[in-house]
Amino acid sequence: MALYCRIAFRGKSFCCYRLLSTYVTKTRYLFELKEDDDVCRKAQQTGAFYLFHSLAPLLQTSEHQYLVPRFSLSELERLLSKFGQNAQRIEDSVLIGCSEQHEAWFALDLGLNSSSSTHASLPKSEMETELKGSFIELRKALFQLNPVDSSLLFTAQSLLHWHDGHQFCSRSGQPTKKNMAGSKRVCPSNKIIYYPQMAPVVITLVSDGTRCLLARQSSFPKGLYSALAGFCDMGESVEEAVRREVAEEVGLELERLQYSASQHWPFPNSSLMIACHATVKPGQTEIQVNLRELEAAAWFSYAEVAAALKRKGTYIQQQNQSFPFSVPPKLAIAHQLIKEWVEKHACSSLPD
Ligand SMILES: NC(=O)C1=CN([C@@H]2O[C@H](COP(=O)(O)OP(=O)(O)OC[C@H]3O[C@@H](n4cnc5c(N)ncnc54)[C@H](O)[C@@H]3O)[C@@H](O)[C@H]2O)C=CC1
Ligand SMILES: [Mg+2]
């Protein structure tokens, strides 16, 4: 789908015959859906709905992967009526994206109670039987979702979670009202607008030139080691947050810092993960683990990390002890940082 655009210059408007790209028209359409409740309501007529129950997405089991079923508005209305609810509940849904053909995608949670509606939670197991699927905690389904589905479900779960936690105005105590798309909530009594929020988190893979530093918290799955991560403090730049987190958690001072990529991460609340590579000064590599933050941290050689990337949660021999060592799954940005480090060090690690 393409659009011709109209541009304004010195107060006059001109028709411009530049064809807007599919990406630009899709972006403009999504913007309109967020800004105009009527357009968004109309988009639901031809849209697709993803279903959740208490923040767990509805999934169907296929051979090795989960499939994510979608429902049309009429299918959803039929389902709600079967469970004794009217179609008004659909107004609790949030916009999570659209296709290149402008089919809008929404997410609706059938397990959460909304303060602004009288809709009660629908019975989970009866719904699962009816929908021929299961509501599975997103974290548990991570390994069996393709990257496109997981990104959409991350967005959906984060938005639904945010709305669930922001149903009342923190100033007036009155219920807030969401717009159709779910891109904001407004307090009707004082007009304060609340927008969905994410917390910036830095994640850093520290290297001493030949080894990289990985750490684990006691809450991590057994044997899992990851890069150092931490929430940005108020007033900090990304660079300051990276330096502080590394100093706080392992007692090291960084020399160089390089941005790699970023990722939205929904667990436990929405975070914007900002991933960096960093190096310490040669010779200044002695770790002092902050045991209030971490259970353990250690330097790992190229061979150890390269082997762990290939492995799925098995065991390695280290210092005559058998202990489990694995790295985060492919979908996590920590995995990407570790993979980049291994690829960079592959050549320099070849035997002479
Ligand atoms: N996608 C990925 O590859 C990875 C993501 N992560 C995520 O990074 C996040 C931060 O990592 P941590 O080492 O736990 O952070 P951290 O090192 O800052 O420690 C967490 C502590 O920071 C404090 N804190 C400050 N601001 C906070 C806020 N806005 N929300 C919650 N706690 C706050 C709390 O006391 C909390 O116990 C985690 O939520 C984790 O899920 C962590 C590693 C890999
Ligand atoms: Mg941390």
Side-chain angles (χ1 to χ4, degrees):
M1 193 173 294
L3 274 184
Y4 292 99
C5 62
R6 188 162 274 282
I7 53 167
F9 180 67
R10 289 186 183 163
K12 289 182 181 158
S13 151
F14 300 89
C15 196
C16 170
Y17 290 99
R18 183 169 69 88
L19 207 57
L20 292 180
S21 72
T22 310
Y23 173 73
V24 173
T25 55
K26 178 179 138 176
T27 308
R28 298 266 170 100
Y29 180 57
L30 279 171
F31 177 78
E32 213 184 335
L33 292 176
K34 287 183 207 159
E35 293 297 308
D36 191 325
D37 282 358
D38 291 335
V39 179
C40 191
R41 198 174 279 110
K42 196 165 163 228
Q44 289 186 344
Q45 308 284 328
T46 51
F49 291 79
Y50 292 81
L51 297 183
F52 284 70
H53 195 285
S54 305
L55 302 177
L58 178 74
L59 303 174
Q60 288 170 339
T61 315
S62 162
E63 265 184 27
H64 300 295
Q65 276 210 321
Y66 283 124
L67 302 177
V68 193
R70 298 144 36 106
F71 299 85
S72 68
L73 184 67
S74 56
E75 285 171 327
L76 196 50
E77 284 169 347
R78 260 201 309 278
L79 179 78
L80 288 170
S81 126
K82 195 162 187 177
F83 283 85
Q85 294 216 340
N86 69 31
Q88 211 199 331
R89 181 164 197 143
I90 296 168
E91 299 226 342
D92 289 344
S93 60
V94 294
L95 175 74
I96 54 169
C98 82
S99 71
E100 291 187 346
Q101 290 71 35
H102 295 189
E103 177 197 56
W105 302 326
F106 298 89
L108 177 64
D109 197 302
L110 301 167
L112 298 174
N113 293 313
S114 154
S115 70
S116 55
S117 70
T118 50
H119 307 133
S121 169
L122 292 175
K124 187 173 163 216
S125 55
E126 279 98 320
M127 302 230 69
E128 289 178 330
T129 312
E130 177 68 27
L131 297 165
K132 299 181 181 61
S134 307
F135 293 104
I136 298 171
E137 217 184 294
L138 191 48
R139 217 170 193 158
K140 290 188 183 147
L142 269 189
F143 292 95
Q144 282 137 285
L145 284 169
N146 71 47
V148 176
D149 286 341
S150 65
S151 163
L152 209 59
L153 294 180
F154 278 12
T155 305
Q157 201 238 35
S158 296
L159 259 181
L160 292 167
H161 192 190
W162 181 82
H163 280 281
D164 186 45
H166 290 80
Q167 296 184 41
F168 295 90
C169 173
S170 58
R171 180 67 59 84
S172 70
Q174 297 294 312
T176 52
K177 191 174 180 331
K178 85 178 234 317
N179 66 342
M180 275 306 283
S183 56
K184 61 186 172 190
R185 298 187 76 91
V186 182
C187 172
S189 70
N190 57 26
K191 306 289 180 261
I192 292 178
I193 305 173
Y194 294 89
Y195 294 100
Q197 285 170 337
M198 319 187 261
V201 173
V202 290
I203 178 158
T204 316
L205 188 63
V206 180
S207 168
D208 71 350
T210 56
R211 301 171 299 170
C212 78
L213 200 161
L214 298 173
R216 58 171 277 109
Q217 295 178 10
S218 53
S219 59
F220 283 8
K222 201 167 172 235
L224 181 82
Y225 278 72
S226 185
L228 300 172
F231 291 92
C232 293
D233 277 351
M234 192 65 86
E236 260 181 347
S237 66
V238 167
E239 296 84 339
E240 286 165 341
V242 169
R243 284 178 200 282
R244 176 186 53 75
E245 274 298 330
V246 172
E248 244 175 52
E249 296 196 346
V250 291
L252 291 172
E253 259 194 72
L254 294 180
E255 189 182 46
R256 267 185 299 129
L257 188 64
Q258 193 188 10
Y259 170 78
S260 166
S262 66
Q263 173 190 48
H264 170 241
W265 190 245
F267 314 113
N269 292 307
S270 280
S271 298
L272 175 64
M273 306 292 306
I274 303 151
C276 299
H277 289 279
T279 50
V280 285
K281 286 193 183 130
Q284 297 189 11
T285 56
E286 196 189 322
I287 302 169
Q288 285 184 5
V289 180
N290 181 343
L291 294 171
R292 287 175 70 167
E293 300 246 0
L294 300 174
E295 187 182 80
W299 290 104
F300 291 83
S301 70
Y302 165 82
E304 287 168 331
V305 181
L309 267 183
K310 290 191 198 134
R311 205 172 37 223
K312 280 186 186 163
T314 51
Y315 294 77
I316 58 162
Q317 287 289 123
Q318 172 121 352
Q319 293 165 348
N320 298 327
Q321 276 185 319
S322 176
F323 79 98
F325 169 54
S326 63
V327 292
K330 276 194 181 122
L331 281 175
I333 202 157
H335 184 102
Q336 191 179 320
L337 274 178
I338 294 168
K339 192 161 168 269
E340 281 171 359
W341 184 84
V342 163
E343 281 163 4
K344 191 175 165 210
H345 287 77
C347 309
S348 51
S349 303
L350 290 173
D352 295 328

